[in-house]
Amino acid sequence: MPITNKMAYDKFTVLRSSAVPLPIENVDTDQIIPARFLKATERKEFGDNLFRDWRYNPDNSPKEDFILNNPVYSGKILVGGKNFGSGSSREHAAWAIYDYGFRCVVSSFFADIFKGNSLNIGILPVQVSAEFLDRIFTAIEADPKTELEVNLPEQTITILATGEQESFDINGYKKHNMINGFDDIDYLQAMKDEVNTFAAKSLY
């Protein structure tokens, strides 16, 4: 059975949410979703196995000291350490993060392939300076309910409690798609009338 490539996702404009801190550097894709869970043919239920080996003991009981098992922390934003998403190029890592409920990942550096995979399915990877990342971790440590505002049209991220703000970069095409909730196929379909008009005017 072929893997389902189409996955609708919500439009992303401004996200205001509390965040889950994961101050660990070099989080690779095998830690995000272990290889033994890559056999599925649809992008469903990967969130159950997000950080599986960090979240659960061998008997499937939750590890109380892992951040996702701590009810104090919640939200649609995951804040990770430097070099997030390194390792193999598996798309499933981004699928697991999306399926769990995160819509934005913040780090001071992302692996390029993970970054691309995330943008393709509606997760916004926000790369900030190391200094600003430290400020985010400090704010969340002081108050787990601290909210961040991620403004995609303006390309800014703000710590609402302090007003501290930083800009981030994003490819213009990917930005357009995320604001409109498009994947690559949706983008082409949205241009259908333009393509037909061009084709009608073309000489063969």
Side-chain angles (χ1 to χ4, degrees):
M1 182 182 295
I3 291 178
T4 302
N5 291 319
K6 179 77 171 107
M7 180 179 182
Y9 54 83
D10 297 334
K11 296 179 181 180
F12 193 118
T13 51
V14 178
L15 174 63
R16 178 179 289 191
S17 173
S18 53
V20 177
L22 188 67
I24 302 172
E25 295 188 355
N26 304 310
V27 174
D28 65 39
T29 53
D30 191 56
Q31 293 161 333
I32 295 171
I33 182 74
R36 64 186 182 277
F37 298 111
L38 306 186
K39 297 179 181 179
T41 57
E42 294 184 345
R43 301 178 188 179
K44 297 178 180 179
E45 301 179 358
F46 280 98
D48 292 341
N49 296 311
L50 176 66
F51 298 117
R52 180 75 191 193
D53 293 336
W54 288 353
R55 284 170 69 190
Y56 297 101
N57 293 303
D59 64 358
N60 293 324
S61 61
K63 294 182 178 180
E64 295 183 2
D65 60 346
F66 186 60
I67 197 71
L68 293 189
N69 296 326
N70 187 339
V72 170
Y73 299 98
S74 64
K76 294 185 177 182
I77 301 173
L78 175 64
V79 184
K82 181 181 179 181
N83 197 28
F84 191 93
S86 58
S88 70
S89 60
R90 66 189 65 168
E91 294 176 289
H92 306 69
W95 300 353
I97 290 171
Y98 185 97
D99 190 59
Y100 186 84
F102 292 117
R103 294 297 175 264
C104 175
V105 182
V106 181
S107 176
S108 58
F109 183 80
F110 291 98
D112 287 340
I113 294 176
F114 172 81
K115 187 175 184 178
N117 288 339
S118 296
L119 288 166
N120 286 340
I121 67 164
I123 298 170
L124 180 61
V126 173
Q127 186 166 317
V128 298
S129 66
E131 294 76 15
F132 195 77
L133 184 66
D134 285 342
R135 291 177 196 151
I136 293 175
F137 282 133
T138 298
I140 297 173
E141 183 179 7
D143 179 8
K145 301 303 181 186
T146 291
E147 290 191 332
L148 305 178
E149 181 181 272
V150 180
N151 187 317
L152 179 54
E154 298 296 327
Q155 295 180 213
T156 59
I157 177 170
T158 306
I159 304 171
L160 293 177
T162 64
E164 295 171 283
Q165 184 180 94
E166 188 164 288
S167 299
F168 61 89
D169 294 327
I170 184 173
N171 174 276
Y173 167 70
K174 295 298 186 182
K175 176 180 179 179
H176 172 83
N177 279 0
M178 290 203 67
I179 289 174
N180 289 281
F182 289 169
D183 62 13
D184 292 333
I185 295 174
D186 292 326
Y187 176 79
L188 293 175
Q189 290 177 333
M191 297 179 63
K192 183 178 179 179
D193 291 342
E194 295 176 44
V195 171
N196 289 338
T197 299
F198 177 81
K201 294 179 180 178
S202 299
L203 298 176
Y204 297 94

